[in-house]
Amino acid sequence: MDIKKRVRYYMDLKKLNNNQLAIKSDLNPSVISSLFTRSSEPELTTLFSICKGLDITMSEFFAEDKMFELTKNQRDILFLFNQLTNEKQELAILVLKAFKNNEC
């Protein structure tokens, strides 16, 4: 995976330039600029900050089979879902299926 191309893809998608991404990522603008000029890959902490600035998860960033974004509601649901026990996750799935099928 070309990390620089991936960052550029999300920047283009969100219509962000280097300075805007730096501000949203709470990074020095030179960090973003050097990302595209260095031959080395960014540190994990830098990439994490960039993902926060792009409003995506690291999982979304590294997902190779599909390029898609989760909405805030979808991220919130996944976060809450992952905190449930397996039994409660199964119940949550049943509830969502019932909503989908207009059974509630």
Side-chain angles (χ1 to χ4, degrees), residues 1-64:
M1 169 183 289
D2 187 327
I3 295 201
K4 296 169 191 177
K5 283 184 182 176
R6 194 70 158 193
V7 170
R8 182 62 65 196
Y9 166 81
Y10 280 107
M11 286 175 67
D12 291 344
L13 188 68
K14 308 265 183 180
K15 297 179 173 64
L16 296 173
N17 63 36
N18 289 5
N19 287 334
Q20 291 167 323
L21 178 59
I23 291 166
K24 288 179 166 283
S25 302
D26 199 26
L27 294 169
N28 189 305
S30 65
V31 172
I32 302 299
S33 295
S34 67
L35 168 73
F36 298 109
T37 57
R38 291 185 298 185
S39 59
S40 62
E41 299 295 343
E43 292 182 14
L44 191 57
T45 54
T46 301
L47 190 55
F48 181 77
S49 295
I50 289 170
C51 286
K52 280 182 63 176
L54 293 168
D55 196 29
I56 60 172
T57 64
M58 293 282 279
S59 296
E60 286 175 280
F61 184 84
F62 285 107
E64 290 195 41

Side-chain angles (χ1 to χ4, degrees), residues 36 65 95:
F36 298 109
D65 57 340
V95 168

